[in-house]
Amino acid sequence: MNKGISRRDLFKFGGIAAVGAAGAAALGGCSPKAAGSSAKEEAASTVLEGYCAPDGGWLGSAPDVKATSTVDCDVLVAGSGHAGIQAALAAAEGGAKVVVIDLVTEENRKVKGEDIGHVNSQWLIDQGYGPYNVGEVTAEFVKRTAGRVNPEIIRKFVANSGEMFDHTAALVQWPDSRIKVTETADPSISPLDPSQCICQVPGIAADGPVEYPIVRGDYKSWAAVAQFMGPIQHEEFPGVAAFSRLDEFQQFAILKAQDLGAEWHYETSAVKLVQESEGGKVTGLVAKKADGSYVQYNTKIGVILCTGDYAANVDMVYNLNTEISEWALRNGETKDDLKGFSTCDGIGQRMACWAGGEMEPSPRPVMVNGGGGDGPWGTTPYLWLNNDGKRYMDEAQIPAAWPATLRQPKGIICTVTDADWYETMKNAGLDHGAPNYGRPVYYEELIEDMNNVPVGSKEGGKCRTCTIAERMMSTVYAANTLDELADLAGYTGEAKQNFLKTIEEYNKMCEAGEDTQYGKDPLFMKAIKTPPFYACPTKNERRVNAGLVTLAGVTCNENLEVMNASTDEPIGGLWAAGNCLGGRYGTGYATPFAGNSIGMAMTHGRVAGKLATGQAVL
Ligand SMILES: Cc1cc2nc3c(=O)[nH]c(=O)nc-3n(C[C@H](O)[C@H](O)[C@H](O)COP(=O)(O)OP(=O)(O)OC[C@H]3O[C@@H](n4cnc5c(N)ncnc54)[C@H](O)[C@@H]3O)c2cc1C
């Protein structure tokens, strides 16, 4: 279990200090290629052509190691996470002799997370969610990334994700003694049982059927995620995906691939690619075995890179995710503070770059989007006030919440609502981090906790979230007057006067039914007038890191083939999927449904496996 750190910790802000001189110097500017340098000097240099990277020292060069053994196969899949498992299954189904390598032991192999965001599976359609228009969903993804993606790569995810999900679901025959069951689960219940796996829906689903997409703040969202939540949890548990049964689902894909002859080589770590010539077609991969020796996999078809992200590699995060590094350095943090939750170190991206590829262009996203005012209500667009007691944005613009909130004065960001809080929450959209009616008991427990928040208490009350499987707690304060609420939330002096004045003006706009300040969707313009009034203040300390995972990959064409940066042609024999694949997220994780990081990894893995073996995809 991943206990001790909550998903919300990774999505929000933390401590702060003044700008460090070292940090300012490190951010001194771009790193142009040294004029007149020889190829040899360049390789040794940390200066990289084409990147504005603070110290350039993220790539290095391919290790000079010699293999002492060889293995022949058609397709080598590097990495056995979400993308790798599906790539291996698809390639094996395409008749290829497949080998999958992963650095972990077989015992420790377990996929991350709990959600599979996807559209148009029969599983969704049978529950009344879809079919949806593939083009419309694709357009929404592209809109949310401000175009910094490859729309065809997104479309391939949207169009093929339903088939990927149904295909894997059809493999699940429960029980199966070969499956390692999640320790918190009842082994007699299938991970796909409705008590374990639900679809995320908005609160309005309680009132009757909902037509999708729902449009909130000019953004569309869909009921489109299979959440392998596992058993119902009533108590607080701050782990990430702690009860998830998603790994069991993926184990069926592994077993099927193995039935078709695919081999899994554990404790085998990808080191570098083998090419027929410099920058030429990939013909294999060298990996390090547990005994320290090196093995060369010779591939007839090629290599599919599925080694995940690079959140554990601070040199890569620092140099490549400069939006994150700048925020960190300006707030007195160091490179080491940038490390995210994932343990992957970007070997797939680096191997591809050594082979002639390049990282997708800046901005390079990480999985921290969400942001805005906090609370147990997820991304519900209540009124958010900054440290000066002032409103600062259209709270329904969820994709803008994280960057816009970071730009606020350090100190408090406070969510404010009143006794009618539920009405606003139930109308919220389904963006990542949204309140989730898919498991109604979590909604009911939130109502119970809100009713129990002691009015006027300086300690406030603890409320369980209703967004995802984890039962994280938020502290909510309640008061019978707004004056008292301001005190409880920590506002004093001028900031307190602003707090009261802002709410007064906000209420006037609500009564008029129009947000003339920031243009919030009238659906959410609810006057704060009925006691008890509620506040959930959190700290905006502008602290950032790589989050759960980084989301930037290498530049690929629409067939997921890694491109040669010099020739603008595919390198050949090299595909990327999951977080190795560039062109998917652009600015951040601002998505029209949750779980699409895993949904994309699984779908693009399957698409890459099919394309590598000449199978058709949508
Ligand atoms: C705790 C946590 C919870 C998350 N929850 C969700 C969620 O609910 N929904 C969602 O959409 N996203 C979630 N994410 C993000 C999501 O899990 C990732 O984006 C997704 O797993 C990416 O899939 P991938 O196949 O690219 O990489 P991974 O699933 O990370 O797999 C990479 C694999 O490569 C292996 N590997 C690494 N280096 C080497 C090497 N040198 N040689 C061989 N193998 C190597 C790793 O051991 C791993 O097995 C979560 C992330 C974390 C960290």
Side-chain angles (χ1 to χ4, degrees):
M1 274 189 210
N2 297 307
K3 192 173 172 177
I5 184 158
S6 76
R7 191 184 307 243
R8 193 191 300 134
D9 289 335
L10 292 156
F11 283 153
K12 65 177 193 183
F13 330 93
I16 183 161
V19 179
L27 285 169
C30 303
S31 307
K33 182 179 169 182
S37 58
S38 71
K40 203 170 171 192
E41 281 163 354
E42 269 173 45
S45 162
T46 56
V47 175
L48 292 172
E49 185 178 13
Y51 297 88
C52 286
D55 70 18
W58 62 273
L59 183 57
S61 48
D64 185 15
V65 294
K66 296 268 174 293
T68 52
S69 59
T70 57
V71 174
D72 293 337
C73 59
D74 296 328
V75 174
L76 186 279
V77 177
S80 176
H82 285 295
I85 292 169
Q86 292 290 331
L89 173 60
E93 286 169 342
K97 183 178 178 205
V98 177
V99 176
V100 183
I101 58 166
D102 203 295
L103 53 78
V104 297
T105 62
E106 182 167 13
E107 178 73 13
N108 288 336
R109 187 215 56 76
K110 187 176 183 192
V111 294
K112 303 176 171 94
E114 68 192 18
D115 308 333
I116 304 178
H118 69 282
V119 301
N120 297 348
S121 68
Q122 206 53 50
W123 183 85
L124 283 169
I125 292 167
D126 288 348
Q127 297 178 71
Y129 311 126
Y132 304 138
N133 178 331
V134 167
E136 189 181 15
V137 178
T138 304
E140 180 65 20
F141 267 94
V142 175
K143 172 184 167 181
R144 285 167 177 255
T145 61
R148 287 162 173 84
V149 290
N150 182 332
E152 175 55 21
I153 288 178
I154 308 274
R155 193 203 63 80
K156 280 211 165 59
F157 154 61
V158 178
N160 291 284
S161 59
E163 188 274 340
M164 177 281 298
F165 187 89
D166 285 336
H167 182 72
T168 312
L171 300 173
V172 178
Q173 300 295 328
W174 201 262
D176 185 320
S177 59
R178 297 171 300 170
I179 299 293
K180 189 170 150 192
V181 180
T182 308
E183 64 259 41
T184 46
D186 177 343
S188 69
I189 304 175
S190 163
L192 268 177
D193 187 271
S195 69
Q196 311 290 299
C197 182
I198 56 113
C199 180
Q200 179 172 9
V201 292
I204 47 170
D207 302 337
V210 178
E211 201 169 310
Y212 298 100
I214 52 175
V215 184
R216 302 288 187 261
D218 288 333
Y219 289 96
K220 296 174 184 171
S221 60
W222 287 265
V225 49
Q227 294 193 284
F228 289 78
M229 284 184 151
I232 290 173
Q233 300 297 324
H234 298 289
E235 302 302 321
E236 177 181 19
F237 191 93
V240 180
F243 307 102
S244 170
R245 300 197 64 188
L246 180 51
D247 188 65
E248 293 156 69
F249 187 70
Q250 282 276 45
Q251 283 181 55
F252 282 97
I254 294 177
L255 289 173
K256 179 66 184 173
Q258 288 174 338
D259 286 348
L260 293 169
E263 291 176 19
W264 256 253
H265 294 185
Y266 290 102
E267 298 180 78
T268 305
S269 184
V271 172
K272 65 175 180 181
L273 294 162
V274 180
Q275 292 169 278
E276 60 187 14
S277 59
E278 196 181 324
K281 187 177 179 241
V282 169
T283 54
L285 179 147
V286 175
K288 189 175 185 181
K289 298 204 285 187
D291 64 6
S293 68
Y294 292 90
V295 51
Q296 178 163 323
Y297 292 90
N298 296 316
T299 56
K300 280 202 193 109
I301 294 175
V303 173
I304 306 179
L305 296 173
C306 301
T307 47
D309 69 296
Y310 56 84
N313 184 330
V314 288
D315 286 318
M316 289 186 77
V317 178
Y318 175 70
N319 281 291
L320 297 173
N321 300 81
T322 44
E323 182 182 17
I324 301 296
S325 350
E326 284 191 8
W327 279 113
L329 294 176
R330 289 175 187 200
N331 290 292
E333 295 185 290
T334 67
K335 223 171 167 178
D336 289 338
D337 297 317
L338 294 170
K339 192 172 180 303
F341 193 84
S342 162
T343 54
C344 295
D345 71 354
I347 184 65
Q349 290 86 340
R350 284 180 287 130
M351 288 193 302
C353 291
W354 294 330
E358 74 184 347
M359 290 296 294
E360 67 179 301
S362 186
R364 302 185 188 92
V366 298
M367 194 185 272
V368 292
N369 236 341
D374 208 356
W377 322 280
T379 52
T380 303
Y382 295 119
L383 172 65
W384 298 339
L385 300 179
N386 68 15
N387 194 54
D388 297 334
K390 292 180 180 168
R391 189 175 177 224
Y392 59 92
M393 68 176 293
D394 166 4
E395 298 88 348
Q397 280 187 312
I398 304 301
W402 178 71
T405 303
L406 272 176
R407 285 162 169 77
Q408 295 310 302
K410 292 167 194 166
I412 300 169
I413 293 288
C414 187
T415 304
V416 184
T417 182
D418 71 359
D420 293 330
W421 62 273
Y422 184 83
E423 196 56 26
T424 304
M425 184 174 85
K426 83 170 192 186
N427 278 298
L430 282 170
D431 306 68
H432 180 83
N436 181 4
Y437 191 72
R439 185 168 261 178
V441 64
Y442 287 3
Y443 248 56
E444 286 152 21
E445 287 178 349
L446 175 55
I447 295 171
E448 187 186 315
D449 290 352
M450 286 288 286
N451 287 339
N452 288 333
V453 173
V455 177
S457 163
K458 286 196 171 115
E459 278 71 48
K462 299 279 184 201
C463 296
R464 285 165 286 183
T465 65
C466 66
T467 52
I468 42 177
E470 295 94 44
R471 306 318 308 277
M472 295 179 293
M473 290 288 187
S474 289
T475 302
V476 176
Y477 299 89
N480 278 327
T481 66
L482 288 168
D483 194 281
E484 192 187 2
L485 191 74
D487 293 338
L488 291 173
Y491 288 99
T492 57
E494 197 182 332
K496 179 177 172 181
Q497 296 316 311
N498 288 338
F499 177 97
L500 296 170
K501 188 160 165 267
T502 304
I503 296 176
E504 194 184 319
E505 285 166 1
Y506 182 75
N507 283 349
K508 278 188 199 148
M509 291 190 289
C510 291
E511 302 298 353
E514 192 181 8
D515 179 3
T516 51
Q517 189 181 18
Y518 293 120
K520 182 155 76 172
D521 192 329
L523 191 60
F524 299 117
M525 292 303 286
K526 303 272 181 231
I528 298 162
K529 60 180 184 195
T530 312
F533 303 108
Y534 295 104
C536 182
T538 49
K539 286 274 181 204
N540 172 20
E541 292 170 309
R542 293 191 188 146
R543 192 169 152 200
V544 291
N545 62 26
L548 284 175
V549 288
T550 57
L551 297 167
V554 289
T555 301
C556 291
N557 68 8
E558 72 279 7
N559 291 323
L560 318 190
E561 293 174 286
V562 179
M563 299 298 284
N564 183 315
S566 304
T567 64
D568 226 9
E569 296 289 332
I571 288 174
L574 188 63
W575 292 261
N579 287 329
C580 288
L581 173 64
R584 301 168 305 143
Y585 287 103
T587 47
Y589 200 58
T591 64
F593 46 85
N596 55 80
S597 172
I598 288 174
M600 278 202 201
M602 292 176 72
T603 305
H604 286 136
R606 182 159 175 77
V607 167
K610 282 187 173 188
L611 291 174
T613 51
Q615 300 175 69
V617 299
L618 295 171

